[in-house]
Amino acid sequence: MTATEHPRLPMLAPRRGKPPRHFADLDAVERKDALKQLGQPGFRAKQLATHYYDHLTVDADDMTDLPAAAREDLVAELFPPLLSPVTQLVTPDGETVKTLFTLVDGAKLECVLMKYPDRATLCVTSQAGCGMACPFCATGQMGLTRNLSAAEIVEQVRLAARAARDGSLGGDPVRLSNVVFMGMGEPLANYNAVMTAVRALTSPAPEGFGLSARHVTVSTVGLVTGIDRLAGEGIPVTLALSLHAPDDELRDEIVPINARWKVDEALDAARRYFDATGRRVSIEYALIRNINDHAHRAELLAKKLRARGDGWVHVNPIPLNPTPGSKWTASDPAVEREFVRILRMHGIPTTIRDTRGSDIDGACGQLAIKER
Ligand code: SAH
């Protein structure tokens, strides 16, 4: 592993309260109002959006179509710096890059960029910390610090898209094509900011980054009201449900929100999501040795999924990535194979999930911040 420090990057002064207002937080009406207050015509909103979402820049010097006298002011007012990179870790093959950022109030976040030959996927953070308290997850152990603003989420994407486009992380330039809300936090517990960010991701340029909705994945612990709201948005993002157990007795233990919404309620909501969007839902299942990896649980999972129809779901088991000091570990490979075999035998499409980035603590659930 190689760690690159960035001592010359300006550190943002710690400050209390909400992050400053940013262009990416505002809707069309709010942008026009903000411009009016700055003495600028409303059509500048489109120019600024083009610089931000299409050219991926917030550098006043790049904005030569704006009046020279106003550029610096517009940038200072509408594109305040929100994320300051602190550390970057790169896997030896150079294909996975984890960046730790500090926010204006000193909160930290991480995101992970995974490069493939022709595209790249970014795993983004939606909250500083997380309130869901899943005992196997590193972020779950930290508790919730605060929700991120929409712009703090969107900035993760802009910075990664630019780095991927410019090849500035090493290797050939690639297009950032996929975004997964599988970093720190529970996205549906920060619903409005996440939806503003999702709209920015999926709107065509210059109003957004123009990603295909199917290439955006919102992963949830199973907040049923949030899933139903998401289903009604008319943006068919991919939904991932972190199930991890097919029975309430065990899920009550390993996914505490199960006290509020039971396995069957979460699965019913996932099925409704499919009905509303036509998007096949992913069931996430971290295989934890001797905890949830039994053949009878694979059978029960298959039964519950089949009971809700065919062709609406697939399962993504992932070997547990043990958190430091955890009493749990990943399932035995033979047990994992058997779990997958049983699901497939019952006709459930099943693919073991990529554990890329585990050697830089960048794999699922490992985005705990050691600097804390
Ligand atoms: N709060 C969202 C996003 C969490 S991170 C959710 O619960 O879906 C994305 C995925 O990583 C979730 O499925 C989460 O359960 C899983 N995960 C967390 N810790 C893990 C670990 N130690 N090993 C493997 N997967 C983990």
Side-chain angles (χ1 to χ4, degrees):
M1 132 181 20
T2 54
T4 335
E5 295 288 338
H6 292 271
R8 285 178 300 104
L9 283 162
M11 287 300 289
L12 304 170
R15 144 186 191 293
R16 290 209 162 272
K18 293 202 322 184
R21 173 192 71 175
H22 186 284
F23 189 77
D25 293 317
L26 307 180
D27 64 24
V29 174
E30 293 166 332
R31 284 176 192 174
K32 291 223 159 70
D33 283 350
L35 284 163
K36 207 164 148 198
Q37 280 168 24
L38 296 166
Q40 292 292 326
F43 68 79
R44 301 250 180 266
K46 188 165 181 192
Q47 292 175 305
L48 292 171
T50 304
H51 289 299
Y52 187 76
Y53 293 110
D54 200 14
H55 308 161
L56 308 173
T57 184
V58 292
D59 185 342
D61 294 339
D62 294 335
M63 303 186 184
T64 51
D65 57 343
L66 301 179
R71 267 178 231 163
E72 299 284 351
D73 262 9
L74 281 172
V75 166
E77 286 293 330
L78 294 174
F79 299 108
L82 300 177
L83 266 57
S84 173
V86 183
T87 322
Q88 229 162 39
L89 296 175
V90 185
T91 50
D93 61 13
E95 286 174 357
T96 306
V97 182
K98 181 177 79 164
T99 311
L100 169 69
F101 294 98
T102 309
L103 306 178
V104 289
D105 60 354
K108 305 269 197 310
L109 70 79
E110 295 184 349
C111 56
V112 181
L113 183 68
M114 289 156 278
K115 291 186 278 172
Y116 302 88
D118 53 341
R119 62 185 181 88
T121 295
L122 184 69
C123 181
V124 294
T125 286
S126 58
Q127 297 182 308
C130 185
M132 296 298 128
C134 301
F136 56 87
C137 172
T139 313
Q141 307 315 296
M142 302 167 42
L144 178 65
T145 302
R146 70 166 169 84
N147 278 333
L148 298 192
S149 66
E152 286 170 329
I153 300 170
V154 173
E155 272 287 272
Q156 296 172 52
V157 178
R158 182 187 66 88
L159 291 168
R162 199 178 59 172
R165 179 195 70 190
D166 296 348
S168 65
L169 302 170
D172 293 331
V174 283
R175 193 174 79 86
L176 179 67
S177 55
N178 295 57
V179 171
V180 296
F181 284 82
M182 292 189 180
M184 304 163 76
E186 166 52 41
L188 297 184
N190 184 14
Y191 192 88
N192 291 337
V194 165
M195 273 321 298
T196 300
V198 164
R199 279 188 285 271
L201 293 175
T202 56
S203 298
E207 294 311 323
F209 298 113
L211 300 185
S212 148
R214 67 178 56 228
H215 292 160
V216 173
T217 299
V218 173
S219 180
T220 178
V221 73
L223 306 189
V224 165
T225 46
I227 295 172
D228 285 332
R229 246 179 114 184
L230 188 64
E233 295 283 353
I235 307 178
V237 295
T238 298
L239 178 74
L241 170 64
S242 299
L243 196 67
H244 305 313
D247 54 304
D248 288 321
E249 195 185 353
L250 177 58
R251 196 166 190 263
D252 282 343
E253 295 284 316
I254 61 179
V255 182
I257 198 68
N258 203 64
R260 175 69 182 80
W261 287 289
K262 296 296 172 196
V263 169
D264 286 329
E265 293 172 280
L267 290 176
D268 287 343
R271 171 70 214 203
R272 288 194 295 276
Y273 189 82
F274 171 78
D275 291 336
T277 62
R279 298 292 305 138
R280 200 164 71 154
V281 175
S282 303
I283 302 292
E284 309 294 297
Y285 201 106
L287 284 167
I288 313 176
R289 184 175 300 190
N290 294 338
I291 300 288
N292 65 351
D293 58 0
H294 315 89
H296 70 87
R297 288 204 156 88
E299 295 279 356
L300 182 60
L301 177 58
K303 187 173 158 206
K304 290 198 167 187
L305 298 179
R306 288 298 301 267
R308 289 170 172 81
D310 287 326
W312 70 280
V313 72
H314 64 129
V315 178
N316 272 169
I318 178 166
L320 182 83
N321 204 350
T323 56
S326 164
K327 55 184 182 200
W328 289 328
T329 186
S331 300
D332 187 88
V335 172
E336 175 183 308
R337 280 195 297 276
E338 179 61 6
F339 198 89
V340 170
R341 190 191 66 78
I342 293 170
L343 289 169
R344 288 188 181 149
M345 185 182 73
H346 289 288
I348 308 290
T350 304
T351 7
I352 297 279
R353 201 162 82 211
D354 193 351
T355 53
R356 266 174 68 162
S358 55
D359 47 352
I360 53 170
D361 293 339
C364 312
Q366 293 300 290
L367 297 178
I369 288 161
K370 290 187 177 153
E371 283 78 353
R372 265 161 67 105

